[in-house]
Amino acid sequence: METGSPQNTGPVGPQSTETTGPRGSTEPVGSQGTIEAAGNEPVWIALPPGLLKMRRLLLVVWLGLIALAAGLLPGLLAGPAWAAFALPPLALMAWGWVMTERNWRSWRYAERADDLLISRGVLWREETVVPYGRMQLVEVTSGPVERHFGLASVQLHTAAAATDATIPGLDPAEAERLRDRLTELGEARSAGL
């Protein structure tokens, strides 16, 4: 989903210069050297690596217990050849180890002027757009495992239940900052409706 951005060919102001942005377009640069929001590309924020660590640990614990039960019990009761039943859960653990990282890398979010974008998915990409004016409730949740890893999730509730969205595995300070910002923007946008 890419649209062309207009080219700046004239002067851009007394305290700014032009730089070449992505795909050869020119974007104005402010006096502090930061690129102003002239393009259509959102600034994506990835999830912290703590979420990957937590999910991998859960994968190893649960599939390790299943492999132990599937291999040890038949191996002791029916003979050592039956311990091969531990191999499918171990193979699933190896596959899950790789897929967990791919899934973690696919999650990202971006705050834009009028809405929040959430993108996720490895095989089937899903991008959710949540307009600030439609947000009814923004909550931060953290279960016992998430708290142990220092993580929290932001849950967004909107007027339409189909657009409810979650951003998992954030640092608690970032989750609270995002909650406060989204609540503030939601109140400002809904007041204008």
Side-chain angles (χ1 to χ4, degrees):
M1 184 178 260
E2 190 173 313
T3 59
S5 61
Q7 297 262 336
N8 267 341
T9 56
V12 290
Q15 293 187 343
S16 55
T17 60
E18 288 183 352
T19 61
T20 303
R23 291 171 301 286
S25 66
T26 56
E27 299 172 346
V29 176
S31 60
Q32 280 110 17
T34 59
I35 296 177
E36 296 171 0
N40 295 347
E41 292 295 317
V43 178
W44 291 102
I45 302 169
L47 298 182
L51 180 65
L52 175 63
K53 184 178 177 183
M54 179 188 79
R55 287 181 174 174
R56 280 183 167 171
L57 179 68
L58 291 173
L59 175 79
V60 168
V61 166
W62 286 110
L63 286 178
L65 289 174
I66 291 171
L68 186 65
L72 187 63
L73 291 176
L76 291 175
L77 298 175
W82 290 91
F85 279 118
L87 294 179
L90 292 175
L92 186 61
M93 184 187 310
W95 178 78
W97 187 270
V98 173
M99 292 307 294
T100 302
E101 182 173 0
R102 289 187 65 195
N103 180 272
W104 167 74
R105 287 187 188 280
S106 75
W107 275 89
R108 58 192 184 153
Y109 66 97
E111 299 174 61
R112 296 194 305 182
D114 296 320
D115 50 33
L116 177 74
L117 297 176
I118 302 171
S119 179
R120 63 196 169 280
V122 176
L123 294 176
W124 288 274
R125 299 286 304 157
E126 184 176 334
E127 191 167 293
T128 305
V129 179
V130 184
Y132 296 135
R134 300 285 183 182
M135 289 185 201
Q136 293 183 333
L137 174 67
V138 181
E139 61 183 352
V140 175
T141 60
S142 185
V145 177
E146 285 180 310
R147 279 194 308 272
H148 177 75
F149 284 92
L151 300 173
S153 297
V154 174
Q155 177 75 36
L156 310 167
H157 300 279
T158 62
T163 58
D164 287 358
T166 302
I167 304 174
L170 296 174
D171 294 321
E174 171 63 10
E176 290 175 11
R177 183 207 63 82
L178 189 59
R179 178 199 60 204
D180 294 343
R181 176 164 166 69
L182 295 177
T183 302
E184 178 184 320
L185 289 169
E187 289 172 356
R189 297 296 193 278
S190 65
L193 291 178

